[in-house]
Each structure stands twice: as C-alpha cells, then as structure tokens.
Coordinates of all heavy atoms in Angstrom, one line a residue:
A1200 N 100.7 115.0 120.2 CA 101.3 113.7 120.0 C 100.2 112.6 119.7 O 100.5 111.8 118.9 CB 102.1 113.3 121.3
I1201 N 99.1 112.8 120.4 CA 98.0 111.8 120.2 C 97.5 111.9 118.8 O 97.2 110.9 118.1 CB 96.9 112.0 121.2 CG1 97.4 111.5 122.6 CG2 95.7 111.1 120.8 CD1 96.5 111.9 123.7
L1202 N 97.3 113.2 118.3 CA 96.8 113.4 117.0 C 97.8 112.9 115.9 O 97.4 112.2 114.9 CB 96.6 114.9 116.7 CG 96.1 115.3 115.4 CD1 94.8 114.7 115.1 CD2 96.0 116.9 115.3
A1203 N 99.1 113.1 116.1 CA 100.1 112.6 115.2 C 100.1 111.1 115.1 O 100.2 110.5 114.1 CB 101.5 113.1 115.6
A1204 N 99.9 110.5 116.3 CA 99.9 109.0 116.3 C 98.7 108.5 115.6 O 98.7 107.5 114.8 CB 99.9 108.5 117.7
G1205 N 97.5 109.1 115.8 CA 96.3 108.7 115.0 C 96.4 108.9 113.6 O 96.0 108.0 112.8
M1206 N 97.0 110.0 113.1 CA 97.2 110.3 111.7 C 98.2 109.3 111.1 O 98.0 108.8 110.0 CB 97.7 111.7 111.5 CG 96.6 112.7 111.7 SD 97.2 114.4 111.6 CE 97.7 114.5 110.0
G1207 N 99.2 108.9 111.8 CA 100.2 107.9 111.4 C 99.6 106.6 111.2 O 99.8 105.8 110.3
G1208 N 98.7 106.2 112.2 CA 98.0 104.9 112.1 C 97.1 104.8 110.9 O 97.0 103.8 110.2
V1209 N 96.4 105.9 110.6 CA 95.5 105.9 109.4 C 96.4 105.8 108.1 O 96.0 105.0 107.2 CB 94.7 107.2 109.4 CG1 94.0 107.4 108.0 CG2 93.6 107.2 110.5
R1210 N 97.5 106.5 108.1 CA 98.3 106.4 106.9 C 98.9 105.0 106.7 O 99.0 104.6 105.6 CB 99.5 107.4 107.1 CG 100.3 107.5 105.8 CD 101.4 108.6 106.0 NE 102.1 108.7 104.8 CZ 103.1 109.6 104.6 NH1 103.4 110.4 105.6 NH2 103.7 109.6 103.5
L1211 N 99.2 104.3 107.8 CA 99.8 103.0 107.7 C 98.7 101.9 107.4 O 99.1 100.8 107.1 CB 100.6 102.7 108.9 CG 101.8 103.5 109.2 CD1 102.4 103.1 110.5 CD2 102.8 103.3 108.1
T1212 N 97.5 102.2 107.5 CA 96.4 101.2 107.3 C 95.7 101.4 106.0 O 94.8 100.7 105.7 CB 95.4 101.2 108.4 OG1 94.8 102.5 108.6 CG2 96.1 100.8 109.7
D1213 N 96.1 102.4 105.2 CA 95.4 102.6 103.9 C 95.9 101.6 102.9 O 96.8 100.9 103.1 CB 95.6 104.0 103.4 CG 97.0 104.4 102.9 OD1 97.9 103.5 103.1 OD2 97.2 105.5 102.4
E1214 N 95.2 101.5 101.8 CA 95.5 100.4 100.8 C 96.9 100.6 100.1 O 97.6 99.7 99.9 CB 94.4 100.3 99.7 CG 93.1 99.8 100.3 CD 93.3 98.4 100.8 OE1 93.9 97.5 100.1 OE2 92.8 98.1 101.9
G1215 N 97.3 101.8 99.8 CA 98.5 102.1 99.2 C 98.6 101.8 97.7 O 97.6 101.5 97.1
P1216 N 99.8 102.0 97.1 CA 99.9 102.0 95.6 C 100.1 100.6 95.0 O 100.2 100.4 93.8 CB 101.1 102.8 95.4 CG 101.9 102.6 96.6 CD 101.0 102.4 97.7
I1217 N 100.2 99.5 95.8 CA 100.4 98.2 95.3 C 99.1 97.4 95.1 O 98.3 97.4 96.0 CB 101.4 97.4 96.3 CG1 102.7 98.2 96.4 CG2 101.6 96.0 95.8 CD1 103.6 97.6 97.5
R1218 N 99.0 96.8 93.9 CA 97.8 96.0 93.6 C 98.0 94.6 94.1 O 98.5 93.7 93.4 CB 97.6 96.0 92.1 CG 97.1 97.4 91.6 CD 97.1 97.4 90.1 NE 98.5 97.5 89.6 CZ 98.9 96.8 88.6 NH1 98.2 96.0 87.9 NH2 100.2 96.9 88.2
W1219 N 97.7 94.4 95.4 CA 98.0 93.1 96.1 C 97.0 92.0 95.6 O 95.8 92.3 95.3 CB 97.8 93.2 97.6 CG 98.9 94.1 98.2 CD1 98.8 95.3 98.6 CD2 100.2 93.7 98.4 NE1 100.0 95.8 99.1 CE2 100.9 94.8 99.0 CE3 101.0 92.5 98.2 CZ2 102.2 94.7 99.4 CZ3 102.3 92.5 98.5 CH2 102.9 93.6 99.1
V1220 N 97.5 90.8 95.4 CA 96.7 89.7 95.2 C 96.6 88.9 96.5 O 97.6 88.7 97.2 CB 97.3 88.7 94.1 CG1 96.6 87.4 94.0 CG2 97.4 89.5 92.8
R1221 N 95.4 88.5 96.9 CA 95.2 87.8 98.2 C 95.7 86.4 98.0 O 95.4 85.7 97.1 CB 93.7 87.8 98.5 CG 93.4 87.2 99.8 CD 91.9 87.2 100.1 NE 91.6 86.3 101.2 CZ 91.2 85.1 101.0 NH1 91.0 84.6 99.8 NH2 90.9 84.3 102.1
Y1222 N 96.5 86.0 99.0 CA 97.1 84.7 99.0 C 96.0 83.6 99.2 O 95.2 83.7 100.1 CB 98.1 84.5 100.1 CG 98.6 83.1 100.3 CD1 99.5 82.5 99.5 CD2 98.0 82.3 101.3 CE1 99.9 81.2 99.6 CE2 98.4 81.0 101.5 CZ 99.3 80.4 100.6 OH 99.7 79.1 100.8
T1223 N 96.1 82.6 98.4 CA 95.5 81.3 98.6 C 96.5 80.3 98.0 O 97.3 80.6 97.1 CB 94.1 81.1 97.9 OG1 94.3 81.1 96.5 CG2 93.1 82.2 98.3
P1224 N 96.5 79.1 98.5 CA 97.4 78.1 97.9 C 97.2 77.9 96.4 O 98.2 77.8 95.7 CB 97.1 76.8 98.7 CG 96.5 77.3 100.0 CD 95.8 78.5 99.7
D1225 N 96.0 78.0 96.0 CA 95.7 77.8 94.5 C 96.2 79.0 93.7 O 96.8 78.9 92.7 CB 94.2 77.7 94.3 CG 93.7 76.3 94.7 OD1 94.5 75.4 94.9 OD2 92.5 76.3 95.0
A1226 N 96.0 80.3 94.3 CA 96.5 81.5 93.6 C 98.0 81.4 93.5 O 98.6 81.8 92.5 CB 96.0 82.7 94.3
F1227 N 98.7 81.0 94.6 CA 100.1 80.9 94.6 C 100.6 79.9 93.5 O 101.5 80.3 92.7 CB 100.6 80.5 96.0 CG 102.1 80.4 96.1 CD1 102.9 81.5 96.1 CD2 102.7 79.1 96.3 CE1 104.3 81.3 96.2 CE2 104.0 79.0 96.5 CZ 104.8 80.1 96.4
Q1228 N 100.1 78.7 93.5 CA 100.5 77.7 92.5 C 100.2 78.2 91.1 O 101.0 77.9 90.2 CB 99.8 76.4 92.9 CG 100.3 75.7 94.1 CD 101.8 75.4 94.1 OE1 102.4 75.1 93.1 NE2 102.4 75.6 95.2
R1229 N 99.1 78.8 90.9 CA 98.7 79.3 89.6 C 99.7 80.3 89.0 O 100.2 80.2 87.9 CB 97.3 79.9 89.6 CG 96.8 80.4 88.2 CD 95.4 80.9 88.3 NE 95.2 82.0 89.3 CZ 94.5 81.8 90.4 NH1 93.9 80.7 90.7 NH2 94.4 82.9 91.3
E1230 N 100.2 81.2 89.9 CA 101.1 82.2 89.4 C 102.5 81.6 89.2 O 103.2 82.0 88.2 CB 101.2 83.4 90.5 CG 99.9 84.2 90.6 CD 99.4 84.8 89.3 OE1 100.2 85.0 88.4 OE2 98.2 85.1 89.3
L1231 N 102.9 80.7 90.0 CA 104.2 80.0 89.8 C 104.1 79.2 88.4 O 105.1 79.2 87.7 CB 104.5 79.0 90.9 CG 104.9 79.7 92.2 CD1 105.2 78.6 93.3 CD2 106.0 80.6 92.1
A1232 N 103.0 78.5 88.2 CA 102.8 77.8 86.9 C 102.9 78.7 85.7 O 103.3 78.3 84.6 CB 101.5 77.0 87.0
R1233 N 102.5 79.9 85.9 CA 102.6 80.9 84.8 C 104.0 81.5 84.6 O 104.2 82.2 83.7 CB 101.6 82.0 85.0 CG 100.2 81.7 84.9 CD 99.3 82.8 85.3 NE 97.9 82.4 85.1 CZ 96.9 83.1 85.6 NH1 97.1 84.2 86.3 NH2 95.6 82.7 85.5
G1234 N 104.9 81.1 85.5 CA 106.3 81.6 85.4 C 106.5 82.9 86.0 O 107.5 83.6 85.8
H1235 N 105.5 83.4 86.8 CA 105.6 84.7 87.5 C 106.5 84.6 88.7 O 106.5 83.6 89.4 CB 104.2 85.2 87.8 CG 103.4 85.5 86.6 ND1 102.0 85.6 86.7 CD2 103.7 85.9 85.4 CE1 101.6 85.9 85.5 NE2 102.6 86.1 84.7
V1236 N 107.1 85.7 89.0 CA 107.8 85.9 90.3 C 106.7 86.4 91.3 O 105.9 87.3 91.0 CB 108.9 87.0 90.2 CG1 109.4 87.3 91.5 CG2 109.9 86.6 89.2
V1237 N 106.6 85.7 92.4 CA 105.7 86.0 93.5 C 106.4 86.6 94.7 O 107.2 86.0 95.3 CB 104.9 84.8 93.9 CG1 103.8 85.1 95.0 CG2 104.1 84.2 92.7
L1238 N 106.0 87.9 95.0 CA 106.5 88.5 96.2 C 105.5 88.4 97.2 O 104.3 88.8 97.1 CB 106.8 90.0 95.9 CG 107.1 90.8 97.2 CD1 108.5 90.7 97.5 CD2 106.6 92.2 97.1
M1239 N 105.8 87.7 98.3 CA 104.8 87.4 99.4 C 105.1 88.3 100.5 O 106.2 88.4 101.0 CB 104.9 86.0 99.8 CG 104.6 85.0 98.7 SD 104.6 83.3 99.1 CE 103.1 83.2 100.0
D1240 N 104.1 89.0 101.0 CA 104.1 89.9 102.1 C 103.2 89.3 103.2 O 102.0 89.3 103.1 CB 103.6 91.3 101.7 CG 103.7 92.3 102.9 OD1 104.7 92.2 103.7 OD2 102.7 93.1 103.1
F1241 N 103.9 88.9 104.3 CA 103.1 88.3 105.4 C 102.8 89.5 106.4 O 103.7 90.2 106.8 CB 104.0 87.3 106.2 CG 104.2 86.0 105.4 CD1 105.1 86.0 104.4 CD2 103.4 84.9 105.6 CE1 105.3 84.8 103.6 CE2 103.5 83.8 104.8 CZ 104.5 83.7 103.8
T1242 N 101.5 89.6 106.7 CA 101.0 90.8 107.5 C 99.8 90.4 108.3 O 99.3 89.3 108.1 CB 100.8 92.0 106.5 OG1 100.5 93.1 107.3 CG2 99.6 91.7 105.6
A1243 N 99.4 91.3 109.1 CA 98.1 91.2 109.9 C 97.6 92.6 110.1 O 98.3 93.5 110.2 CB 98.4 90.5 111.2
E1244 N 96.3 92.7 110.2 CA 95.6 94.0 110.4 C 96.1 94.7 111.7 O 96.2 95.9 111.7 CB 94.1 93.8 110.4 CG 93.5 93.7 109.0 CD 93.9 94.8 108.1 OE1 93.8 96.0 108.4 OE2 94.3 94.5 106.9
W1245 N 96.4 93.9 112.7 CA 96.8 94.5 114.0 C 98.3 94.8 114.1 O 98.7 95.3 115.1 CB 96.4 93.5 115.1 CG 96.7 92.1 114.8 CD1 95.9 91.1 114.3 CD2 98.0 91.4 114.9 NE1 96.6 89.9 114.2 CE2 97.9 90.1 114.5 CE3 99.3 91.9 115.4 CZ2 99.0 89.2 114.5 CZ3 100.3 91.0 115.3 CH2 100.2 89.7 114.9
C1246 N 99.0 94.5 113.0 CA 100.5 94.6 113.1 C 101.0 95.9 112.5 O 101.2 96.0 111.3 CB 101.1 93.4 112.4 SG 102.9 93.5 112.4
L1247 N 101.1 96.9 113.4 CA 101.6 98.2 112.9 C 103.0 98.1 112.4 O 103.4 98.9 111.5 CB 101.5 99.3 113.9 CG 100.0 99.8 114.2 CD1 100.0 100.8 115.3 CD2 99.4 100.3 112.9
N1248 N 103.9 97.3 112.9 CA 105.2 97.1 112.4 C 105.2 96.6 111.0 O 106.0 97.0 110.1 CB 106.0 96.1 113.3 CG 106.5 96.7 114.5 OD1 106.6 97.9 114.7 ND2 106.8 95.8 115.5
C1249 N 104.3 95.7 110.7 CA 104.1 95.2 109.3 C 103.7 96.3 108.3 O 104.3 96.4 107.3 CB 103.0 94.1 109.2 SG 103.4 92.6 110.2
K1250 N 102.8 97.1 108.8 CA 102.4 98.3 107.9 C 103.5 99.2 107.7 O 103.7 99.8 106.7 CB 101.2 98.9 108.6 CG 100.1 98.0 109.0 CD 99.0 98.0 107.9 CE 97.9 97.1 108.4 NZ 97.3 96.4 107.3
A1251 N 104.3 99.5 108.8 CA 105.4 100.5 108.7 C 106.5 99.9 107.8 O 107.0 100.7 107.0 CB 106.0 100.7 110.1
L1252 N 106.8 98.7 107.8 CA 107.7 98.1 106.9 C 107.3 98.1 105.5 O 108.0 98.4 104.6 CB 108.1 96.6 107.3 CG 109.0 96.5 108.6 CD1 109.0 95.1 109.0 CD2 110.4 97.0 108.2
E1253 N 106.0 97.8 105.3 CA 105.4 97.9 103.9 C 105.6 99.3 103.4 O 106.1 99.5 102.3 CB 104.0 97.4 103.9 CG 103.4 97.5 102.5 CD 101.9 97.1 102.5 OE1 101.5 96.3 103.3 OE2 101.2 97.6 101.6
Y1254 N 105.2 100.3 104.2 CA 105.2 101.6 103.7 C 106.7 102.1 103.5 O 107.0 102.7 102.5 CB 104.5 102.5 104.7 CG 104.5 104.0 104.3 CD1 103.7 104.4 103.3 CD2 105.4 104.9 104.8 CE1 103.7 105.8 102.9 CE2 105.5 106.2 104.4 CZ 104.6 106.6 103.5 OH 104.6 107.9 103.0
G1255 N 107.5 101.8 104.4 CA 108.9 102.3 104.4 C 109.8 101.6 103.4 O 110.8 102.1 102.9
V1256 N 109.5 100.3 103.1 CA 110.3 99.5 102.1 C 109.7 99.4 100.8 O 110.2 99.7 99.7 CB 110.7 98.2 102.7 CG1 111.4 97.3 101.7 CG2 111.4 98.3 104.0
L1257 N 108.4 98.9 100.7 CA 107.8 98.5 99.5 C 107.2 99.7 98.7 O 107.0 99.6 97.5 CB 106.7 97.4 99.7 CG 107.2 96.1 100.3 CD1 106.1 95.2 100.5 CD2 108.3 95.5 99.3
H1258 N 106.9 100.8 99.4 CA 106.2 101.9 98.8 C 107.2 102.9 98.2 O 106.8 104.0 97.8 CB 105.3 102.6 99.8 CG 104.0 101.8 100.0 ND1 103.0 102.4 100.7 CD2 103.7 100.6 99.8 CE1 102.0 101.5 100.8 NE2 102.4 100.4 100.3
R1259 N 108.5 102.5 98.1 CA 109.5 103.4 97.5 C 109.4 103.2 96.0 O 109.2 102.2 95.5 CB 110.9 103.0 98.0 CG 111.0 103.3 99.5 CD 112.3 102.8 100.1 NE 113.5 103.2 99.4 CZ 114.4 102.3 98.9 NH1 114.3 101.0 99.1 NH2 115.4 102.8 98.2
E1260 N 109.7 104.3 95.3 CA 109.5 104.4 93.9 C 110.3 103.3 93.1 O 109.7 102.7 92.2 CB 109.9 105.8 93.3 CG 109.5 106.0 91.9 CD 108.0 105.8 91.6 OE1 107.2 106.2 92.4 OE2 107.7 105.2 90.6
P1261 N 111.5 103.0 93.4 CA 112.2 101.9 92.6 C 111.5 100.5 92.8 O 111.4 99.8 91.9 CB 113.6 101.9 93.2 CG 113.8 103.2 93.9 CD 112.4 103.6 94.3
I1262 N 111.0 100.3 94.0 CA 110.3 99.0 94.3 C 109.0 99.0 93.6 O 108.6 98.0 93.0 CB 110.2 98.8 95.8 CG1 111.5 98.9 96.5 CG2 109.4 97.5 96.1 CD1 112.5 97.8 96.0
L1263 N 108.3 100.1 93.6 CA 107.0 100.2 92.9 C 107.1 99.9 91.5 O 106.3 99.3 90.8 CB 106.3 101.5 93.2 CG 105.9 101.8 94.7 CD1 105.4 103.2 94.8 CD2 104.8 100.8 95.1
R1264 N 108.2 100.4 90.9 CA 108.4 100.2 89.4 C 108.6 98.7 89.2 O 108.1 98.2 88.2 CB 109.6 101.0 88.9 CG 109.3 102.4 88.6 CD 110.3 103.1 87.8 NE 111.7 103.1 88.4 CZ 112.1 104.0 89.3 NH1 111.4 105.0 89.6 NH2 113.4 103.8 89.7
L1265 N 109.4 98.1 90.0 CA 109.6 96.6 89.9 C 108.3 95.8 90.0 O 108.1 94.9 89.3 CB 110.6 96.1 90.9 CG 112.1 96.6 90.7 CD1 112.9 96.2 91.9 CD2 112.6 96.0 89.4
L1266 N 107.5 96.2 91.0 CA 106.2 95.5 91.3 C 105.2 95.8 90.2 O 104.2 95.0 90.1 CB 105.7 95.9 92.6 CG 106.5 95.4 93.8 CD1 105.9 96.0 95.1 CD2 106.6 93.9 93.9
D1267 N 105.4 96.8 89.3 CA 104.5 97.1 88.3 C 104.7 96.2 87.0 O 103.9 96.2 86.1 CB 104.6 98.6 87.9 CG 103.4 99.1 87.2 OD1 102.2 98.6 87.5 OD2 103.5 99.9 86.2
D1268 N 105.8 95.4 87.0 CA 106.0 94.5 86.0 C 105.0 93.4 85.9 O 104.6 92.8 87.0 CB 107.4 93.9 86.2 CG 107.9 93.0 85.0 OD1 107.1 92.2 84.5 OD2 109.1 93.1 84.7
K1269 N 104.4 93.1 84.8 CA 103.4 92.1 84.6 C 103.8 90.7 85.0 O 103.0 89.8 85.3 CB 102.8 92.1 83.2 CG 102.3 93.4 82.7 CD 101.1 93.8 83.6 CE 100.5 95.1 83.1 NZ 99.9 95.9 84.1
R1270 N 105.1 90.5 85.1 CA 105.7 89.1 85.4 C 105.9 89.0 87.0 O 106.2 87.9 87.4 CB 107.0 88.9 84.7 CG 106.8 88.9 83.2 CD 108.2 88.9 82.6 NE 108.8 90.3 82.9 CZ 109.9 90.7 82.5 NH1 110.7 89.9 81.7 NH2 110.4 91.9 82.8
V1271 N 105.6 90.1 87.7 CA 105.7 90.1 89.1 C 104.4 90.2 89.8 O 103.6 91.1 89.4 CB 106.6 91.2 89.6 CG1 106.7 91.2 91.1 CG2 108.0 91.1 89.0
V1272 N 104.1 89.3 90.7 CA 102.8 89.3 91.4 C 103.0 89.6 92.9 O 103.6 88.7 93.6 CB 102.0 87.9 91.2 CG1 100.7 87.9 92.0 CG2 101.8 87.7 89.8
P1273 N 102.6 90.7 93.4 CA 102.7 91.0 94.8 C 101.5 90.3 95.5 O 100.3 90.6 95.2 CB 102.6 92.5 94.9 CG 102.0 93.0 93.6 CD 102.2 91.9 92.6
M1274 N 101.8 89.4 96.4 CA 100.8 88.5 97.0 C 100.8 88.8 98.5 O 101.9 88.6 99.1 CB 101.0 87.1 96.7 CG 99.8 86.2 97.1 SD 100.0 84.5 96.4 CE 99.6 84.8 94.7
K1275 N 99.7 89.1 99.1 CA 99.6 89.4 100.5 C 99.1 88.2 101.3 O 98.0 87.7 100.9 CB 98.7 90.7 100.8 CG 98.8 91.1 102.2 CD 98.3 92.5 102.4 CE 99.3 93.5 101.8 NZ 99.3 94.8 102.5
V1276 N 99.8 87.8 102.3 CA 99.4 86.7 103.1 C 99.0 87.3 104.4 O 99.8 87.8 105.2 CB 100.6 85.7 103.4 CG1 100.0 84.5 104.2 CG2 101.2 85.2 102.1
D1277 N 97.6 87.4 104.6 CA 97.1 88.0 105.8 C 96.9 87.0 106.9 O 96.1 86.1 106.8 CB 95.8 88.7 105.5 CG 95.2 89.5 106.6 OD1 95.6 89.4 107.7 OD2 94.2 90.3 106.3
I1278 N 97.7 87.1 108.0 CA 97.6 86.2 109.1 C 96.8 86.8 110.3 O 96.9 86.4 111.4 CB 98.9 85.7 109.6 CG1 99.8 86.9 110.0 CG2 99.6 84.9 108.5 CD1 101.1 86.5 110.7
T1279 N 95.9 87.7 110.0 CA 95.0 88.3 111.0 C 94.3 87.2 111.7 O 94.1 87.3 112.9 CB 94.0 89.3 110.4 OG1 94.8 90.3 109.7 CG2 93.1 89.9 111.4
S1280 N 93.8 86.2 111.0 CA 93.2 85.1 111.6 C 93.7 83.8 110.9 O 94.0 83.9 109.8 CB 91.6 85.1 111.6 OG 91.2 84.9 110.3
A1281 N 93.7 82.7 111.6 CA 94.2 81.5 111.1 C 93.4 81.0 109.8 O 93.9 80.4 108.9 CB 94.2 80.4 112.1
A1282 N 92.1 81.4 109.7 CA 91.3 81.1 108.6 C 91.8 81.7 107.3 O 91.6 81.2 106.2 CB 89.9 81.5 108.8
N1283 N 92.6 82.8 107.4 CA 93.1 83.4 106.2 C 94.3 82.7 105.6 O 94.7 83.1 104.5 CB 93.5 84.9 106.5 CG 92.3 85.7 106.8 OD1 91.2 85.5 106.4 ND2 92.5 86.8 107.6
V1284 N 94.9 81.8 106.3 CA 96.1 81.2 105.8 C 95.9 79.7 105.4 O 96.9 79.0 105.3 CB 97.2 81.3 106.9 CG1 98.6 80.9 106.3 CG2 97.3 82.7 107.4
A1285 N 94.7 79.3 105.2 CA 94.4 77.9 104.9 C 95.2 77.3 103.8 O 95.6 77.9 102.9 CB 92.9 77.7 104.6

C-alpha cells in the first residue's frame, strides 16, 4: 500500500501532456488581447487533490485535443506561495 501511494504521488506530480503557461497578470491580459481563450488551472505543489483533478479531468484525450488548439492557452495559477499570484 505504501509503495502504491508513493507511485501514485509521483505520477500526479509529473509535468504531463499539457504545455502550461505560467500565470502572470501581464501574460493573462496579453492572451486575452490576442483573442485567445484562456483556461486557468488554480493549483499548488502541496495539493494532491489539485493534481488528481488535473490528471483525471484535463489529461483525457478529448480535452487534450481541445487544449492543443492554438487559440486556447492553458494557464496555470500556482498558489504554492503568495508570491506566485502577484
């Protein structure tokens, strides 16, 4: 059970198939000005629920195809520390 939990934790903390853009207010405004759809994912390094939801919902093939559209920008808002959300 301990080994399975450890392996699950590693799987949920890898980068995954989505090319995330790091959130900054400027990056967000820039993408909106370009007319792009911005999908924002609020997460934190310590949040295993966030990782599980990302893997279980966003890493599905139909969603990955939608996120691969050049007009869609997947943007990750990392709230691990307050400094990341300035």
Side-chain angles (χ1 to χ4, degrees):
I1201 293 171
L1202 180 60
M1206 290 174 61
V1209 168
R1210 185 174 184 183
L1211 293 174
T1212 58
D1213 70 356
E1214 290 297 314
I1217 300 171
R1218 291 172 285 136
W1219 292 105
V1220 172
R1221 184 177 164 266
Y1222 169 81
T1223 66
D1225 290 338
F1227 178 69
Q1228 291 301 323
R1229 181 176 55 249
E1230 296 302 337
L1231 290 180
R1233 291 177 178 164
H1235 292 155
V1236 173
V1237 179
L1238 170 86
M1239 298 180 77
D1240 179 41
F1241 291 80
T1242 189
E1244 284 303 313
W1245 45 262
C1246 181
L1247 285 180
N1248 284 340
C1249 299
K1250 308 262 184 220
L1252 284 170
E1253 178 181 332
Y1254 180 79
V1256 175
L1257 298 178
H1258 288 192
R1259 295 175 49 236
E1260 191 57 38
I1262 304 301
L1263 293 173
R1264 279 195 305 273
L1265 291 171
L1266 293 176
D1267 200 36
D1268 187 318
K1269 301 296 182 209
R1270 298 167 293 179
V1271 177
V1272 178
M1274 191 168 287
K1275 188 164 286 213
V1276 184
D1277 186 348
I1278 60 170
T1279 300
S1280 72
N1283 292 334
V1284 191

